[in-house]
Amino acid sequence: MLEAVGPERQGRGRGCRGGLPVHSTVDHRPRALEISGFTETDLQDLLPHFATGELEDCQIDEPSCLAVITYRSRPEAEQAALHSVRLNGSDLRLSWHQPSVSLTSQEPDEQETDHDEFQEESLIDDALLQDDDEEDDDNEPAPGADEDGP
């Protein structure tokens, strides 16, 4: 007799546990579009034209007519790129914006300070090691002393 697999008893296999995917990945692709090719007269229409998804950030450099619009997700940014290539009869130039990411959040002066502090700490450690050697010498009998003596 075959048993029915239902909510009380589920079969083994791949899939979701508790409604969440077992294997998931994080999308690190850019979500920001760099937009150029528009004029100063197009500025008022630019943001509504690209508001096809949920926007996180919008930076417009008016003198150079360059804009960077960041979307909440990559698929939203891709949809905007596909449907927003023309504005007021002009072709726009779109590219993925790659923000410059620093490896550390500290200023260069702060990094040098940390390096100097590390050197000072290592000098202190060396001094402690020397003290340990001197303490070992204190516990040893003096040269020429009789070990059996009082």
Side-chain angles (χ1 to χ4, degrees):
M1 184 166 140
L2 295 175
E3 292 184 29
V5 176
E8 304 84 26
R9 187 173 176 128
Q10 294 185 1
R12 293 181 178 252
R14 299 177 75 172
C16 296
R17 291 183 187 158
L20 298 175
V22 175
H23 300 286
S24 62
T25 58
V26 177
D27 192 353
H28 293 289
R29 297 177 298 170
R31 299 174 290 124
L33 289 174
E34 189 170 297
I35 305 153
S36 60
F38 57 91
T39 63
E40 289 182 20
T41 57
D42 295 328
L43 282 175
Q44 65 182 1
D45 298 329
L46 186 68
L47 192 56
H49 184 71
F50 279 91
T52 58
E54 188 176 334
L55 302 180
E56 262 187 20
D57 188 33
C58 177
Q59 299 175 2
I60 299 175
D61 184 14
E62 291 182 26
S64 64
C65 290
L66 178 73
V68 176
I69 298 178
T70 305
Y71 291 86
R72 186 181 57 82
S73 67
R74 173 67 181 223
E76 289 175 334
E78 289 173 352
Q79 285 298 317
L82 289 174
H83 298 292
S84 304
V85 293
R86 291 186 61 81
L87 176 64
N88 296 337
S90 299
D91 289 333
L92 298 174
R93 289 182 298 279
L94 305 175
S95 62
W96 293 111
H97 178 71
Q98 296 281 353
S100 59
V101 177
S102 64
L103 296 177
T104 62
S105 61
Q106 295 178 340
E107 296 296 320
D109 293 339
E110 292 176 359
Q111 291 175 352
E112 290 175 11
T113 304
D114 291 345
H115 182 66
D116 292 341
E117 289 175 8
F118 177 75
Q119 289 177 347
E120 290 173 9
E121 290 174 2
S122 65
L123 292 175
I124 293 170
D125 291 342
D126 290 343
L128 290 174
L129 291 175
Q130 289 174 356
D131 288 343
D132 288 345
D133 292 340
E134 290 173 5
E135 288 176 9
D136 290 342
D137 293 341
D138 292 343
N139 293 335
E140 294 177 5
D146 188 1
E147 293 181 15
D148 294 335

